[in-house]
Amino acid sequence: MQSRQQIAESWGWMSWRQAALLLPVIVISGVFLLAPLLENLVRSLGLPGESGLAHYRSFFTKPQYLTALSNTLAFSLAAAVLALVIALPACTFVAHRGGRWLRSFIGVLIVAMAISGLIRTVSWQIVLGNGGLLDAILMATGVIRQPLGLLYTPWAVLLGMVQIILPAVALALINGLGKVDRGLIAAARSLGASPFQVLMTAYLPQIRPTLMLAVFLGFSLGTGLFLTPTLLGGPDDVVLGKVMLGDMVFDFENGAALGATSGVVMTAVVGAAGLVCLALGGRGFRPPRRRGAAA
Amino acid sequence: MRPTDMAIALRGVIKRYGDFCALDGVSLDVNPGEFVSLLGPSGSGKSTILGLVVGSVLPDRGAVYIHGKDAAALRPHERNIGMVFQQYSLFPHLTVAENIAYPLKLRKWTEPAIKSRVAAFLDLVGLIREADRYPGEISGGQAQRVAVARALVFDPDVLLMDEPLGALDKRLRGELQEEFRRIQRETGVPTLYVTHDQDEAMFLSDRIIVCNQGRIVADGSPRDLYERPPGAWAAEFLGDANLVPVQRWRQCGDGQAKAETAWGEVVVPHAPGSTPERSAAIVVRPEHLLVAVDEPSTQGYAPARGGVRARVTSSVYLGGRQRIHLHTEEGMLLKAEVSGRRHLPTGGVLSIHWRPEDSWLVNI
């Protein structure tokens, strides 16, 4: 005889007592996440009596918004992919090595995350600035004759953003890469798979959901950064966050509604990106879902 | 035979990991069509031997031949070896049939050829009805059968099995042992089977190779190794054994030894290659110890001088058989296995003897 608890667990149900553990999270995310989002949506539709979509019309017709949006997306995507490429080799190594390597690596990542993004960004100003540390070193070693002038360019923005999102991307990667079943890799090899075939049939399918999760995490973090592009970028490297700030601070009449509109658009874009990443990630090595319960 | 005539041959292989010597000059053969078990405690080097054949371990010295070819020139995926792991290692996102088809797809077989081949191997392991299930939906025993089919489907030169029954319960183990033996006889693929379970090795193998501390300490048929073990360690590792200490001994021709024990002189067969210069013991299996309540005529038995007096210290009834522990007057502990029907109470004094041909002198 199975107890009710066992039956519930075997069906993936929770008892009320278990559900109660989730209550604080549900309340907090409801009050502090969903409610403001809804409020944003309502505000973006303007005051009663106004044409509901006026702010959206102005968002999608004014070049300042479109440029800011495309800048945000381009910077965030580039930074996320770059962070993934940089983090992947090291994360693969420590995740498989485990033990002390893994613990120290995670420790370093947490320290990196703990240092304020503002300080990390300002330190890039010092390194990249005209006659800054980088220029000084390169000129002293004779690699360059003129200062590079990297600060206030898109490259500086990219560098700064990568540095800020890298620890989060690396943590997401380590978590997933540590769960790779290496027995399957050994099995594939023993069954005659070449190194390339092992990669394509036994390794990549296992880590693809992790890779896409890490890219998505990096991307969505990137869309929220506005200090870094503002401090490191030039006048053309405006991102949506900065435009929103400007609207809200300087436009007393429509600022709140315009900011809310940008926020809704950004949320929608991030949501869409999430779905794309989910689709690209695939089901990994889980079997396809069955119609009806499995035996 | 030359190493090139063997399914697997190792010649003088040495492998070190830092200061630890995993293999210390190992040579072994697996003949075509043979089922060979590699038996030993953990850390004895058996996994390293498997790694050498698979190609995940490279020898420091010596050579490995697979199907006549020097394996040094072959990368792991070029070795054409089937491998079965303890953890099944089936691809969870592929069905049973797709798992078995995987090595054929790698070899670019045509779709119809794959289909009929997979069907034949599903039949071989008795899983036709499970063809479309996923590994998560079948039992451990069925999963291991799928793994065997997948390892054999592409006609490997040899099959390696690394403790394939380690994760299964006792009843299933017995069932699968029968299956493994049948499948191996049917396919004739030479098999190297790693285990630390001696009953399993006895049941399955044409030949057992026993490893200890990076060396091969015994190599022969299950009967040979049990009845005529080459040394004391092998005798105790493979089955239970009483080791009766020998003070001195000499060869008296025809493979017989005249040995001095605490209970007088006995004449018993000795292991070939054993020498009187090194200390020795007489191996007597517990089931070969004869116990008598009174002192019988011991004409033709060993020891000759009227048997050994011993007190029963414990007895365990096993159904049909019972296992008794005995303490001799000289302070030796003996184990005997006798019919379960006799009543042998703890504390009773028995007279112990054995037939000389059931014992075997070895160096320690």
Side-chain angles (χ1 to χ4, degrees):
Chain A
M1 270 291 280
Q2 280 183 310
S3 71
R4 235 174 41 187
Q5 173 96 12
Q6 281 171 327
I7 294 169
E9 274 169 8
S10 70
W11 283 85
W13 290 344
M14 285 183 295
S15 72
W16 284 111
R17 251 181 290 174
Q18 285 171 309
L21 294 173
L22 290 175
L23 201 63
V25 174
I26 293 170
V27 169
I28 289 174
S29 49
V31 172
F32 295 103
L33 199 71
L34 291 178
L37 274 176
L38 275 177
E39 164 86 8
N40 246 1
L41 187 63
V42 171
R43 277 196 195 183
S44 72
L45 295 174
L47 297 167
E50 286 181 38
S51 156
L53 297 173
H55 298 304
Y56 287 94
R57 203 168 299 132
S58 89
F59 184 97
F60 285 108
T61 47
K62 285 189 185 162
Q64 64 182 65
Y65 289 108
L66 293 179
T67 310
L69 180 65
S70 72
N71 275 350
T72 307
L73 299 185
F75 278 135
S76 304
L77 184 64
V81 171
L82 204 58
L84 178 80
V85 170
I86 293 169
L88 193 56
C91 289
T92 308
F93 174 74
V94 295
H96 286 196
R97 194 66 182 260
R100 193 180 300 168
W101 285 88
L102 182 60
R103 284 194 299 277
S104 344
F105 193 73
I106 290 176
V108 169
L109 289 180
I110 287 172
V111 169
M113 280 175 106
I115 298 172
S116 141
L118 178 62
I119 292 173
R120 284 192 265 166
T121 300
V122 170
S123 64
W124 277 118
Q125 277 192 317
I126 296 167
V127 172
L128 297 177
N130 223 336
L133 199 59
L134 185 68
D135 279 351
I137 291 171
L138 290 180
M139 283 165 77
T141 52
V143 178
I144 53 167
R145 283 164 194 276
Q146 300 290 316
L148 283 173
L150 271 177
L151 190 61
Y152 309 129
T153 67
W155 302 113
V157 176
L158 195 58
L159 218 60
M161 283 176 69
V162 166
Q163 201 224 30
I164 287 179
I165 66 176
L166 191 65
V169 169
L171 280 177
L173 280 178
I174 282 177
N175 183 41
L177 293 175
K179 290 178 191 144
V180 165
D181 184 347
R182 290 159 87 185
L184 294 178
I185 290 161
R189 197 181 292 136
S190 82
L191 294 166
S194 66
F196 181 70
Q197 285 171 319
V198 169
L199 181 73
M200 298 310 286
T201 64
Y203 193 62
L204 264 189
Q206 281 197 78
I207 66 164
R208 226 170 64 190
T210 300
L211 298 184
M212 292 321 297
L213 174 72
V215 167
F216 175 65
L217 190 67
F219 174 79
S220 59
L221 278 177
T223 60
L225 297 176
F226 68 93
L227 213 55
T228 305
T230 307
L231 292 179
L232 300 180
D236 293 334
D237 304 320
V238 176
V239 294
L240 202 55
K242 197 187 173 204
V243 175
M244 285 166 76
L245 188 68
D247 278 342
M248 303 227 246
V249 173
F250 298 116
D251 188 339
F252 290 110
E253 209 174 314
N254 289 320
L258 283 170
T261 305
S262 299
V264 169
V265 171
M266 203 66 249
T267 308
V269 169
V270 170
L275 292 178
V276 169
C277 287
L278 210 57
L280 287 178
R283 291 184 61 78
F285 262 5
R286 284 174 301 159
R289 231 178 245 123
R290 287 256 171 153
R291 285 174 302 277
Chain B
M1 281 216 278
R2 290 167 302 157
T4 48
D5 297 328
M6 301 292 175
I8 301 173
L10 267 62
R11 287 292 177 270
V13 173
I14 295 174
K15 180 70 195 175
R16 285 173 200 283
Y17 296 104
D19 281 341
F20 176 69
C21 188
L23 291 180
D24 190 8
V26 164
S27 296
L28 65 84
D29 292 316
V30 176
N31 295 304
E34 201 178 18
F35 195 119
V36 175
S37 284
L38 211 49
L39 181 66
S42 54
S44 59
K46 53 192 199 302
S47 299
T48 309
I49 292 176
L50 213 59
L52 284 164
V53 181
V54 177
S56 59
V57 177
L58 294 175
D60 293 341
R61 212 176 288 168
V64 178
Y65 300 88
I66 298 163
H67 208 63
K69 288 180 291 240
D70 188 342
L74 300 173
R75 289 187 295 165
H77 66 279
E78 297 164 339
R79 294 189 176 196
N80 200 33
I81 286 169
M83 175 114 189
V84 176
F85 303 85
Q86 184 175 343
Q87 300 305 327
Y88 323 137
S89 295
L90 299 178
F91 297 107
H93 66 306
L94 300 180
T95 63
V96 165
E98 287 166 345
N99 262 287
I100 299 174
Y102 177 86
L104 303 178
K105 287 207 174 115
L106 290 177
R107 286 165 177 77
K108 307 263 187 306
W109 282 38
T110 64
E111 207 50 53
I114 290 179
K115 217 171 162 198
S116 67
R117 182 79 171 175
V118 168
F121 274 77
L122 280 169
D123 186 34
L124 178 74
V125 296
L127 290 173
I128 292 174
R129 289 193 312 157
E130 282 75 15
D132 294 325
R133 297 237 187 128
Y134 286 94
E137 300 168 350
I138 59 179
S139 72
Q142 288 173 329
Q144 202 53 297
R145 279 185 238 191
V146 177
V148 170
R150 185 180 68 171
L152 286 171
V153 71
F154 56 93
D155 236 338
D157 291 330
V158 293
L159 178 64
L160 304 180
M161 302 177 92
D162 191 1
E163 309 223 2
L165 302 178
L168 298 171
D169 65 52
K170 200 172 171 188
R171 203 177 54 81
L172 261 177
R173 277 213 291 270
E175 231 170 78
L176 271 174
Q177 282 173 11
E178 308 242 7
E179 282 281 288
F180 287 172
R181 216 161 68 150
R182 176 184 63 79
I183 291 168
Q184 202 271 337
R185 302 281 191 275
E186 272 178 43
T187 57
V189 176
T191 300
L192 189 60
Y193 187 100
V194 168
T195 180
H196 60 258
D197 182 333
Q198 40 134 328
D199 292 332
E200 201 171 294
M202 288 255 189
F203 179 86
L204 284 167
S205 320
D206 298 318
R207 196 152 54 83
I208 298 176
I209 295 173
V210 184
C211 300
N212 188 34
Q213 296 180 339
R215 290 165 186 273
I216 287 173
V217 296
D219 181 344
S221 71
R223 180 181 294 274
D224 274 354
L225 291 195
Y226 188 75
E227 293 179 0
R228 298 286 179 252
W233 190 89
E236 288 197 292
F237 186 71
L238 211 71
D240 237 335
N242 294 298
L243 292 180
V244 178
V246 167
Q247 276 125 23
R248 61 180 160 273
W249 69 283
R250 60 187 173 81
Q251 295 168 351
C252 55
D254 207 19
Q256 297 292 309
K258 199 167 265 185
E260 196 76 48
T261 73
W263 310 315
E265 198 177 69
V266 293
V267 177
V268 296
H270 69 84
S274 50
T275 108
E277 275 85 65
R278 285 172 48 210
S279 52
I282 298 171
V283 177
V284 191
R285 298 291 183 189
E287 66 275 19
H288 289 149
L289 272 190
L290 305 171
V291 305
V293 180
D294 48 6
E295 208 158 289
S297 143
T298 50
Q299 195 71 46
Y301 290 94
R305 202 194 55 203
V308 180
R309 310 274 297 159
R311 187 177 296 278
V312 178
T313 56
S314 72
S315 77
V316 182
Y317 181 72
L318 301 169
R321 316 280 305 157
Q322 62 183 326
R323 172 157 284 255
I324 56 179
H325 284 225
L326 298 146
H327 202 165
T328 70
E329 286 167 348
E330 294 79 14
M332 234 193 106
L333 295 171
L334 295 174
K335 292 164 280 189
E337 201 173 302
V338 299
S339 160
R341 300 190 57 180
R342 294 171 63 185
H343 185 60
L344 299 169
T346 305
V349 175
L350 302 171
S351 162
I352 309 294
H353 49 274
W354 67 89
R355 297 192 314 183
E357 61 267 36
D358 285 342
S359 61
W360 180 247
L361 184 141
V362 293
N363 278 131
I364 293 175

